[in-house]
């Protein structure tokens, strides 16, 4: 199998998993700015082809759609694929280095906190979910 075709399949499966969970894909800098310049709470999932994205981050992100505390927006960008959108959304994450997969919680376009790759990779999904629940409770209630 051609490696590029394989990677396209992995990317498409990762995209589909997040959109089926109810996340809005942002694919351009304009889409990022339009959404983040509106008032409200936004949960951003930085998607990637990394194994920890597929096995830990995406299922954890999907679970959060069922949590009692809900932000106004659930969005996702795909690192390494939607470069313009990913670069732009990361420009809102002041004080944080690029990390994928990762999660960002924003209020009125201002970063509140992040859960970075090192807090996802090597952890059980339930541990990541618990970190997300704690962050939702702290920043989105």
């Amino acid at each position: 199998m051609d490696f590029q075709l394989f990677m396209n399949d992995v990317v498409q499966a990762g995209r589909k998993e997040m959109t089926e969970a109810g996340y809005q894909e942002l694919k351009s800098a304009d889409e990022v700015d339009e959404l983040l310049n509106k008032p409200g709470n936004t949960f951003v999932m930085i998607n990637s082809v990394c194994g920890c994205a597929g096995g830990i981050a995406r299922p954890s992100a999907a679970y959060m759609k069922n949590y009692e505390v809900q932000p106004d927006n659930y969005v996702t960008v795909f690192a390494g694929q939607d470069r313009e959108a990913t670069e732009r959304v990361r420009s809102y994450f002041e004080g944080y280095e690029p990390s994928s997969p990762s999660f960002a919680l924003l209020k009125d376009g201002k970063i509140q906190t992040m859960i970075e790759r090192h807090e996802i990779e090597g952890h059980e999904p339930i541990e990541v979910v618990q970190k997300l629940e704690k962050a939702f409770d702290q920043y989105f209630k």
Side-chain angles (χ1 to χ4, degrees), residues 38-73:
K38 293 179 184 173
N41 294 325
T42 301
F43 181 59
V44 180
M45 193 275 183
I46 306 287
N47 207 344
S48 75
V49 295
C50 158
C52 57
I56 303 166
R58 285 193 293 269
S60 299
Y63 171 84
M64 293 310 293
K65 288 288 290 187
N66 302 307
Y67 190 56
E68 63 190 53
V69 176
Q70 293 286 300
D72 301 300
N73 307 293

Side-chain angles (χ1 to χ4, degrees), residues 24 26 28-39 88 92:
Q24 176 186 351
L26 303 177
S28 72
D30 288 343
E31 289 176 346
V32 169
D33 288 338
E34 183 179 331
L35 188 119
L36 293 181
N37 285 314
K38 293 179 184 173
R88 181 60 57 90
Y92 286 83

Side-chain angles (χ1 to χ4, degrees), residues 56 96 99 101 103 113-124 127-128 131:
I56 303 166
Y96 292 93
S99 176
F103 304 106
T113 193
M114 283 194 73
I115 295 174
E116 300 173 272
R117 179 181 179 147
H118 68 88
E119 299 173 90
I120 298 168
E121 189 174 36
H123 293 83
E124 293 298 319
E127 294 174 298
V128 175
K131 289 177 192 179

